[in-house]
C-alpha cells in the first residue's frame, strides 16, 4: 500500500485500516499498520537566536561628574543604535550598589529611555559587584554572542565582592568585557579586566560607538549553557525491523590512574594515622626536670663586679636581667585626621584602609562640616596601595593642602588639609595593635 502524496487526513487513515482488517487478518493488520504509516520526524522548535546580547554597565557614582555621565550615556546610546536589528540589550548602573535598570529586550526605545534616565548619585562605587552581577546575567542569556560594555573610572568602593569574582564568571563563559574609561580613570584596573576577558580598553577620547559595536560582533562566540539537540535527534527515524537490537554500550578501556584506586587512599589514610600516633606519643614523653642550682660558697659575679667599682644602677639592672617580664606590646600606625581649626577642633577622625571617607556639608557625608563655605560633597580621602589620597570633588572654594589648591594629592605625615574654614591634619598615631 502506498501513501498518497499530501494525503494525511484521519478519514483516509481509517479507510486503510478497515480494508486491512477485513482482507488479511490480525497479523496482516499489525504489519500493514506499521509499514503504511509514514514516520513523521519531530520538528525541533527553537527560538530565533539574537544577533548579539549586550549588557551596558554604566557608572553613576559620585566620583563622576554630570558631564562624565552624559558622555557615558551618549556612548551607550550610540552603541545601541549601531548594533544589528534583533540584538538583545540590558542596562545596569552602579553607585552604592549594583542594579538592573532594564532587563534584556530587543525594544530599542525602552533601552534608550533607561539610559537617558540615569543620574549621578550615591557615595560609593560598587564596581566589582556590578561586574559580577552583569556577567552572571549574561551567563543565563540565550544566544552565543554575548558581550559586556563597562563605562566607568575604574575605582571601586565598598563592594561586597572582589574583582576576581566577576572576572571568573566572564572568563568561564567567554564573555568579553569592553571597558571605556571616563573621568579620572584608574586605567590599570580596566586594562586588566579587558585583557583577561578577551575584550578591549578605550579611553573616552578614543572610544567610538561604531568601533565598539564592530568589536562586540567580532568577538568569539560564548559558551551555550542550554543543551543543544544532537544531529541524530533531527534525522528521520528508520522503521523498526525484527533484526533491530539496542547497541551495546562501549567498554571503557582507559587505564585508571593509581590515585583513583580505593587501595591507594586506604594506604594513605593508614600512613597518616600512624604518623599522628607517633607525634602524640612523642609529645607525651615526660621531660626531665631542670637541675636545681647549687648554692656556691665562693663570691658571686655581682660581688666581683661591685668590687671593681661599677655604679649601683648598672649592678641593679644586671641583677634583675634574668627575671621574667611581660610580653612586649606591639605598637601599630593608625592613620587619623585631627581637626586643628574650626567648629570641631580637637576631634580625631580615624581613617580606614578598606574604605574611603567623604567630607562635606551634606548630612550624607562621613565627616559633616557645618560651614557655609564648604560644598555639599567637598572632598574625599580614599586608600590606594598602602597610602591615602585626597580628591577634591569639584568643590566651589576648592581643597587646599599646606596652602596650595589641589585636585588630587597623596597625603604625607603632617599635611594640613583646609576645607572651607576648617583645617584637618593628617598623621599616623602609634597605638597598641
Amino acid at each position: 500500500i502506498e501513501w498518497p502524496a499530501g494525503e494525511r487526513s484521519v478519514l483516509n487513515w481509517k479507510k486503510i485500516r478497515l480494508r486491512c482488517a477485513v482482507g488479511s487478518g490480525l497479523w496482516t493488520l499489525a504489519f500493514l499498520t506499521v509499514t503504511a504509516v509514514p514516520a513523521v520526524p519531530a520538528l525541533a522548535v527553537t527560538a530565533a537566536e539574537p544577533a548579539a546580547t549586550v549588557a551596558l554597565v554604566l557608572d553613576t557614582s559620585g566620583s563622576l561628574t554630570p558631564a562624565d555621565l552624559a558622555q557615558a550615556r551618549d556612548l551607550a546610546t550610540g552603541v545601541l543604535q549601531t548594533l544589528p536589528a534583533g540584538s538583545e540589550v540590558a542596562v545596569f548602573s552602579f553607585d552604592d550598589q549594583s542594579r538592573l535598570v532594564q532587563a534584556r529586550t530587543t525594544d530599542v526605545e525602552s533601552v534608550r529611555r533607561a539610559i537617558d534616565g540615569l543620574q549621578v548619585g550615591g557615595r560609593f562605587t560598587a564596581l566589582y559587584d556590578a561586574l559580577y552581577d552583569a556577567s552572571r546575567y549574561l551567563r543565563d542569556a540565550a544566544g552565543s554572542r554575548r558581550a559586556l560594555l563597562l563605562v566607568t573610572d575604574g575605582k571601586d568602593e565598598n563592594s561586597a565582592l572582589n574583582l576576581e569574582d566577576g572576572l571568573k564568571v566572564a572568563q568561564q563563559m567567554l564573555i568579553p568585557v569592553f571597558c571605556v574609561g571616563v573621568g579620572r580613570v584608574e586605567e590599570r584596573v580596566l586594562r586588566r579586566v579587558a585583557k583577561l576577558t578577551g575584550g578591549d580598553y578605550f579611553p573616552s577620547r578614543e572610544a567610538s560607538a561604531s568601533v565598539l559595536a564592530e568589536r562586540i560582533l567580532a568577538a568569539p562566540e560564548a559558551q551555550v549553557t542550554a543543551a543543544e539537540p544532537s544531529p541524530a535527534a533531527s534525522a528521520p527515524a528508520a522503521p523498526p525491523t525484527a533484526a533491530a537490537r539496542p547497541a551495546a554500550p562501549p567498554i571503557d578501556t582507559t587505564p585508571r590512574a593509581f590515585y583513583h584506586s580505593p587501595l591507594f587512599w586506604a594506604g594513605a589514610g593508614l600512613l597518616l594515622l600512624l604518623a599522628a600516633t607517633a607525634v602524640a606519643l612523642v609529645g607525651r614523653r615526660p621531660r626531665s626536670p631542670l637541675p636545681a642550682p647549687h648554692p656556691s660558697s665562693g663570691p658571686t659575679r655581682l660581688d666581683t663586679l661591685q668590687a671593681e667599682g661599677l655604679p649601683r644602677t648598672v649592678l641593679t639592672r644586671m641583677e634583675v636581667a634574668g627575671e621574667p617580664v611581660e610580653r612586649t606590646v606591639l605598637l601599630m600606625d593608625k592613620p587619623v585626621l585631627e581637626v586643628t581649626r574650626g567648629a570641631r577642633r580637637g576631634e580625631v577622625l580615624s581613617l580606614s584602609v578598606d574604605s574611603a571617607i567623604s567630607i562635606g556639608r551634606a548630612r550624607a557625608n562621613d565627616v559633616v562640616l557645618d560651614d557655609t563655605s564648604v560644598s555639599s560633597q567637598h572632598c574625599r580621602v580614599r586608600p590606594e596601595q598602602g597610602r591615602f589620597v585626597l580628591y577634591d570633588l569639584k568643590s566651589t572654594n576648592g581643597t587646599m593642602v599646606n596652602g596650595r589648591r589641589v585636585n588630587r594629592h597623596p597625603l604625607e605625615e603632617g599635611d594640613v588639609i583646609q576645607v572651607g574654614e576648617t583645617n584637618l591634619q593628617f598623621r599616623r598615631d602609634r597605638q597598641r595593635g
Side-chain angles (χ1 to χ4, degrees), residues 325-346:
V325 294
E326 293 184 1
R327 182 179 175 183
T328 303
V329 176
L330 178 64
L331 298 179
M332 302 188 65
D333 289 338
K334 184 176 182 180
V336 298
L337 289 176
E338 181 183 1
V339 182
T340 59
R341 176 173 173 258
R344 300 181 60 172
R345 180 178 180 180

Side-chain angles (χ1 to χ4, degrees), residues 57-73:
V57 186
L58 277 67
D59 187 346
T60 58
S61 65
S63 61
L64 296 185
T65 64
D68 294 334
L69 182 57
Q71 186 179 11
R73 287 197 302 260

Side-chain angles (χ1 to χ4, degrees), residues 50-128:
T53 305
V54 181
L56 304 176
V57 186
L58 277 67
D59 187 346
T60 58
S61 65
S63 61
L64 296 185
T65 64
D68 294 334
L69 182 57
Q71 186 179 11
R73 287 197 302 260
D74 293 342
L75 181 63
T77 303
V79 172
L80 173 67
Q81 295 172 342
T82 311
L83 290 173
S87 298
E88 286 189 341
V89 181
V91 180
F92 282 81
S93 69
F94 60 95
D95 37 62
D96 290 346
Q97 61 183 359
S98 166
R99 62 182 65 85
L100 175 63
V101 179
Q102 173 62 56
R104 293 190 308 269
T105 180
T106 57
D107 186 355
V108 176
E109 288 303 320
S110 297
V111 178
R112 182 182 289 110
R113 286 194 298 270
I115 295 173
D116 292 341
L118 298 179
Q119 299 293 332
V120 172
R123 297 164 50 193
F124 303 108
T125 311
L127 168 60
Y128 300 160

